[in-house]
Amino acid sequence: KSSAEAVVSTQRGYYGRGGTTDVTEKKGRGLKDLSKESRELLESYQHMFYLLQTNPKYLAKLLFLMPQNNATKFMETVILTIYNYGTNTREECLLLRLFRNALREEIQLKVDKVQDISTGSPTVIKIVVTYYRGTQGSQNSLKALLGPLIEQVMDDKELNMNIHPVEVYKAWISRVETETGEASKLPYEVTPEQALKHKEVRDEIEKTIKKLVTIIESFQEKIISSVDKLPYGIRFIAMCLRRDLKEKFPESTDDEIMKAVGNLLYYRYMNPVISAPDSFEIVELDAGSSLSNIQRRNLGSISKILQHAASFKTFDSDATYLSSLNTFIHSAYGKFMEFFTRASDIEEIEEYFNMDEFSDVTMLNKPCIFISPNEISSTHQLLLDHQNEIAGEDDPLKEVLAALGPVPDDSLLVTDDKSAEFSLLLTNKWELNMQDESNIQALFSKTKYLIVDLLKIQRGASLVSILETAATAQQQELYRAIHSRRIADENKKSKKEKSTDCDSALIPLL
């Protein structure tokens, strides 16, 4: 296998996917066959998946035209395959663009109130959290952030943060019997209310709560002081969630919005790691060993109180023995809100990754994905079924689908195994062939004309300073008029001349 393929194979291990099978050297039927029909089909699929990868609107809309269970499975398999599980900068940037569009689509279509984010199971948020907890780099950041504190709790053999009245009562009775050597005359089976009538039980619970708060405070301080160590992607989605919810529900308070953001950042992303660190490889255990019941209960108590603080859920009259925690919850909630606010304020992906819609033009190697015939045919069929809902009349996707036609017979797709993945180079159907001297010359010529038009309305010390200077609305209008007039003059001179994309595309001033 190539190194890139090995990386993708390793990455997929986190999602339960199989490895990648290289079939490019196999002879026989399939997309890699040398027949004209197979080559044309391969080229069309290269165009289709390039379009899907670089234009997130299609997949973002498609996700919510199918049942939620199907959408989740489609996202976890096919869609992450199309983006190579974000294994390089370009593909992570494109994947985040998809997450951004899909989240916006889901909020517009599926979310009726802000609280739905916390009480429901949003498809995009679920996939984002799974992705960022599963990727190796993000997993390491959670391990560095929470691992040492979790290990301290696990290593303290004397620590037992049990605050349930009945269990504390029974432990007290057992201890007294051990110390005196006599059976207690008190009943063994009691209700929480009956257990709390004993001062010894109340005192033990209060002592445990003080110890619990001290430990929880250390967890919270570590979390809120490490905002810059969180993965960029999870913070970016938190920012998108905050922005999209405010746009759809402008009457909602900042507090309501930030609780939804906190539900993503703490409850969904961090909380499971604290309560079950062994499930996320946050702590290292000896072979065959597992967390003890006491260790799980201790970590569960920490994660539960932190979640109460993050969502500002206080203990009411039904749990008066925990009312002393409410003071901590009030204080911790304010700190969490500041943390969620800072964490959801970050630069846009284009700035962070230094990429825009023209970045692919400068790539030396074409992007490549590893995909199975099954995934190709299922994606093709879904696009055919929903093309009118996800693409307009003259949309490029419809042009590609028209060239492909119906989903081909298995004999044109399959080599030996429908689930065996192979490498598929992606190509832009509308990309200029930069090896063609005429294309380069035409592009250079058109660029000169565009700059000449610009120099007629803007002045500066240098061409660079002019290009970097924002244009006024009046200058934009004047530029459009000059540009349109020149194009009209050119068309009059040569009606038969075939226009390139640069002829008709109006490039706005910066």
Side-chain angles (χ1 to χ4, degrees), residues 18 121 150-151 239 252 271 285 388 424 442 451:
S121 183
I150 291 173
E151 288 178 351
M239 181 175 72
S252 295
N271 193 63
L285 300 174
N388 292 328
L424 181 69
I451 291 176

Side-chain angles (χ1 to χ4, degrees), residues 42-87:
L42 174 63
E43 186 178 68
S44 292
Y45 277 131
Q46 290 174 322
H47 297 156
M48 185 185 84
F49 282 104
Y50 180 87
L51 197 58
L52 292 179
Q53 192 188 65
T54 56
N55 290 269
K57 63 179 182 179
Y58 303 122
L59 293 175
K61 290 181 179 294
L62 186 62
L63 269 175
F64 302 103
L65 294 173
M66 59 180 80
Q68 184 173 8
N69 288 342
N70 293 354
T72 301
K73 185 176 180 181
F74 185 67
M75 176 76 96
E76 289 177 339
T77 54
V78 179
I79 289 183
L80 289 179
T81 291
I82 293 173
Y83 293 93
N84 269 340
Y85 291 75
T87 50

